[in-house]
Amino acid sequence: MHRWLMIVGALLTAVALLLLSLLPDPPAEAVAMAGWVERGHSLLLWSDELLFFAVICWGAGARGLLGARQAGPSVRINVGGTALTIALAALFVVLLAVGRLVYPVFEIQPSAEVVALVVSSAFGALHLAFLGFAVTAVALNWSTRAGLIGRVVGIVAAAAFLVGSFPWLAPNGWNSLVAVLVAAWGVFLGLASGTGTENSGDATRRTHTIG
């Protein structure tokens, strides 16, 4: 069940990122930022809603999968789990920032400068999230039961996430591709979540039981 929660979280995250990649390029001047938010209101709204469920599903799934390990602690697993936690926390910041843009809290209309600050903070948090995903891809994929294939997938995904960690510089087409790669990597990681250490531990326990 935790595996499927992780997969659903990755898919929801990818759809939310895909919607954000479809937004027009933000204006360079703060005074025009409110109009940009209005034009992309629907995309921002749906992305915000999806991110809420994505963070819950992905976090619960990863916690269940990583916390259920019976073998001794692994440095790679600890690093990957910490990096994924940072990535999900960054997505939570994006969730809060985008939510402030699309929901009129107390009917307070923020100034153009505040809107520009919130938008730039959201993209900055996306940068942090992708960096976290990059570290997670290398650390966790290195320990999957997929072996060499898992390591190659992790390295390729990490490289794509590093390039995609600058969404304000990359073209929309590349940002959309990175969103799709998040889904593909997340599904792969969820399906290949068993690790060599776990398998070795299981084999040892079976040996002791048989003996």
Side-chain angles (χ1 to χ4, degrees), residues 122-196:
F123 279 92
L126 275 180
H127 172 72
L128 179 60
F130 277 117
L131 292 180
F133 283 146
V135 176
T136 304
V138 174
L140 293 187
N141 279 68
W142 204 265
S143 300
T144 62
R145 58 189 175 189
L148 180 60
I149 295 178
R151 297 176 184 182
V152 172
V153 170
I155 293 174
V156 172
F161 297 156
L162 286 176
V163 178
S165 65
F166 299 91
W168 61 89
L169 297 178
N172 289 352
W174 173 254
N175 290 331
S176 298
L177 176 60
V178 172
V180 174
L181 290 176
V182 168
W185 165 70
V187 171
F188 178 88
L189 184 61
L191 294 177
S193 56
T195 65

Side-chain angles (χ1 to χ4, degrees), residues 16 41 53 57 112 119 138 147 198:
H41 186 273
F53 295 102
C57 291
V119 171
V138 174
E198 287 178 321

Side-chain angles (χ1 to χ4, degrees), residues 37-211:
V37 171
E38 185 64 28
R39 290 193 302 273
H41 186 273
S42 296
L43 293 173
L44 290 169
L45 177 63
W46 281 106
S47 177
D48 189 63
E49 295 293 335
L50 290 174
L51 277 178
F52 174 76
F53 295 102
V55 171
I56 292 178
C57 291
W58 206 339
R63 184 176 184 273
L65 287 175
L66 300 181
R69 293 173 54 84
Q70 300 297 324
S74 165
V75 173
R76 288 192 297 269
I77 296 298
N78 289 339
V79 170
T82 302
L84 182 58
T85 300
I86 292 174
L88 294 180
L91 289 180
F92 187 75
V93 174
V94 177
L95 168 67
L96 291 176
V98 174
R100 184 58 189 91
L101 292 174
V102 297
Y103 293 111
V105 181
F106 292 116
E107 299 299 329
I108 298 175
Q109 298 298 327
S111 65
E113 290 75 14
V114 171
V115 173
L117 176 62
V118 173
V119 171
S120 60
S121 297
F123 279 92
L126 275 180
H127 172 72
L128 179 60
F130 277 117
L131 292 180
F133 283 146
V135 176
T136 304
V138 174
L140 293 187
N141 279 68
W142 204 265
S143 300
T144 62
R145 58 189 175 189
L148 180 60
I149 295 178
R151 297 176 184 182
V152 172
V153 170
I155 293 174
V156 172
F161 297 156
L162 286 176
V163 178
S165 65
F166 299 91
W168 61 89
L169 297 178
N172 289 352
W174 173 254
N175 290 331
S176 298
L177 176 60
V178 172
V180 174
L181 290 176
V182 168
W185 165 70
V187 171
F188 178 88
L189 184 61
L191 294 177
S193 56
T195 65
T197 305
E198 287 178 321
N199 294 339
S200 298
D202 293 339
T204 302
R205 287 191 295 274
R206 286 196 298 269
T207 300
H208 289 326
T209 302
I210 293 174

